[in-house]
Amino acid sequence: MITENELQLTADVLVIGGGPAAAWAASAAASQGVKVIIVDKGFLGTSGAAAASGNGIMAPSPENWEKVVSERYRVAKDLANLRWIERVVEKTWLSLPLVESWGYRFPKENGESVRQSYYGPEYMRILRKHLLRVGVQILDQSPALELLLAEDGSVAGARGVQRQHHRAYTVRAGAVVLANGGCAFLSKALGCNTNTGDGMLMAVEAGGELSSMEASNHYAISTAFNATVTRGVPFGWASYTDEEGNDLGGYINGRRDPSFLPNALMKGPVYARLDRASSEVKAVVEKSHFIAFLPYKKAGIDPYTERVPVTLVFEGTVRGTGGIRIINDSCGTKVPGLYAAGDAASREFLAGLASGGGGPNAAWAISTGQWAGEGAAAFAKSLGIHANERVVRPAGQVGLRSPMAGRSPSQSSTSETFDSEAIARAVQSEIFPLEKNYLRSEQKLLDSLAKLETLWQQVKGNPKQDTVRDMEFSRRAAALTAVARWAYFSALHRQETRSEHIRVDYPETDPNQLYYQATGGLDRLWVRRDWIKDEIGTPSVLTTQTTYSVSKS
């Protein structure tokens, strides 16, 4: 990595990310009286999915807690955790008045604040302003690329690059919070192109684990002429037709069938017209989801009277579930001193294998951000004043360092660098298609895994590192490839259909498969079943493979 003019900093807690979870983590850590640095790939306050638009929040008033908790558990089909749902709901409800005290103005009804949603740009502006007020140091345009580990295996900070200063940086820290989002594989979903799975790769390299990665294939509806804005609520009042104008249905008991559109799109073009919306619905939806109507206004289209082509945009784990496995109430990981929050963490306790997108994920970011920040602060304090004097080593390798490193210049120059953009496109060709990732089967998963394995061997080669952008994009190619492999490897081993994980060769939900699937490994992938209810008396099963045959044990 570039070392000339490298920036060297120290902190008690380092937070990696720039969305709500990262901001809440930094705030919570700072409230414990420790020094906090937060590094963001973009500009904290404008980058990420939350800053791009408005969002609901799962923050019901206490009299509705029981109803909301039971409904969330029902949606998760027995794979959620009631205690975690309850603590997320409670923590979020108690936290929102803080945002108001920092300057955010929620709408009022009868003189009372209604804290059920937020306007993303203003929400993130307030969070940034609050962080600066409490003394958090923010490094914008500074993507983190790898973690640092102490001799005992605990996390000790991170290294990255600063785009605008064209230099590398190192932050030594007593604890680290990974809150840098999930992975949408550069699909152009609004606000999600900063979510490229970096945190998952860093966690696994450091010795951490992932969980529920089979729940990584979330698609969201969007207009086909501007396939970026993924706000599905307005389409709940749409009529769907094919190219010739024939009615396609798409509703079950008056509610939009989530499986309708993927299946219809695999047969041909689909058009939508929001002609089922009443004048009252129009007024509410246009106000609460105004950004969904901008493409229509720019194109001069009346969505209530004109048909528009629709498509599905891949959002991966951002509004899926899979992510870094957390092992305690403080959102700690298997790596001492490393914590995960928001979309970077697995949301399985809250959503099972269903999507937590929207209100649940917003609540998850607020609550897990604070628990992770407080946990990281406590861990950093436990190390004492010499924490940042520990001997450390960098944990990153793939996409950062050439296997030729340390050899003579003449030897190193013979190895061509891999094409980061070509790698990304090749990963997308395996991940985006509905026929591969929405309707999964053993053979299709094996075929894609074989191609992804070839890509993994490529990114293990010589990365281009002429500029800080080269370094960032080489590392990004490695992360995209790694996340795709973990997602499909996990999907291969869950032999049932449950929530968003659809296996056409195992179309039924198996009531005995009440376990989470932990996964990890770099060259050698593995899957482990973490049982929730051991109804069939089966011990934990660890499957480790370098070839992609299916374990029948």
Side-chain angles (χ1 to χ4, degrees), residues 316-340:
T317 73
V318 175
R319 290 185 178 89
T321 297
I324 301 167
R325 178 173 171 259
I326 53 180
I327 64 171
N328 56 40
D329 284 0
S330 296
C331 298
T333 71
K334 275 192 65 179
V335 183
L338 183 63
Y339 298 78

Side-chain angles (χ1 to χ4, degrees), residues 79-149:
L79 283 191
N81 184 295
L82 277 171
R83 185 178 69 85
W84 269 82
I85 300 174
E86 289 168 352
R87 66 193 296 253
V88 166
V89 167
E90 180 182 30
K91 185 67 171 178
T92 305
W93 185 79
L94 292 172
S95 300
L96 291 178
L98 284 175
V99 188
E100 204 162 26
S101 72
W102 299 337
Y104 188 86
R105 296 181 179 179
F106 287 100
K108 301 278 188 180
E109 283 187 10
N110 300 320
E112 296 292 327
S113 296
V114 180
R115 308 183 188 103
Q116 299 298 312
S117 63
Y118 60 72
Y119 174 56
E122 179 65 10
Y123 177 64
M124 290 308 303
R125 186 187 73 83
I126 292 294
L127 289 179
R128 181 185 179 94
K129 185 177 179 180
H130 166 69
L131 293 181
L132 293 173
R133 187 186 304 122
V134 298
V136 173
Q137 183 177 358
I138 301 174
L139 300 185
D140 296 307
Q141 304 295 330
S142 301
L145 301 181
E146 64 178 333
L147 294 174
L148 301 176
L149 296 179

Side-chain angles (χ1 to χ4, degrees), residues 251-328:
Y251 290 86
I252 298 177
N253 297 325
R255 303 190 68 174
R256 185 157 61 91
D257 175 11
S259 66
F260 154 72
L261 189 56
N263 287 297
L265 283 169
M266 283 188 280
K267 298 175 183 176
V270 176
Y271 296 81
R273 180 168 52 220
L274 309 184
D275 53 3
R276 296 162 59 98
S278 65
S279 56
E280 292 82 5
V281 167
K282 292 178 184 178
V284 173
V285 172
E286 287 187 25
K287 182 178 180 181
S288 58
H289 294 273
F290 68 93
I291 198 166
F293 291 88
L294 288 179
Y296 301 123
K297 292 180 180 179
K298 290 182 177 181
I301 294 173
D302 180 357
Y304 303 110
T305 61
E306 299 178 56
R307 295 197 314 158
V308 296
V310 293
T311 189
L312 286 169
V313 176
F314 191 67
E315 294 181 323
T317 73
V318 175
R319 290 185 178 89
T321 297
I324 301 167
R325 178 173 171 259
I326 53 180
I327 64 171
N328 56 40

Side-chain angles (χ1 to χ4, degrees), residues 210-232:
L210 309 179
S211 195
S212 294
M213 287 301 293
E214 64 271 32
S216 57
N217 59 335
H218 184 77
Y219 294 83
I221 189 171
S222 174
T223 59
F225 62 86
N226 187 347
T228 296
V229 179
T230 54
R231 285 295 177 268

Side-chain angles (χ1 to χ4, degrees), residues 155-172:
V155 74
R159 294 191 75 203
V161 291
Q162 292 193 295
R163 299 188 188 117
Q164 294 172 325
H165 298 289
H166 306 286
R167 66 183 178 187
Y169 71 83
T170 296
V171 179
R172 298 286 298 271

Side-chain angles (χ1 to χ4, degrees), residues 402-416 462:
S402 168
M404 306 292 286
R407 302 187 183 185
S408 69
S410 60
Q411 290 176 306
S412 298
S413 62
T414 61
S415 178
E416 293 186 4
N462 193 24

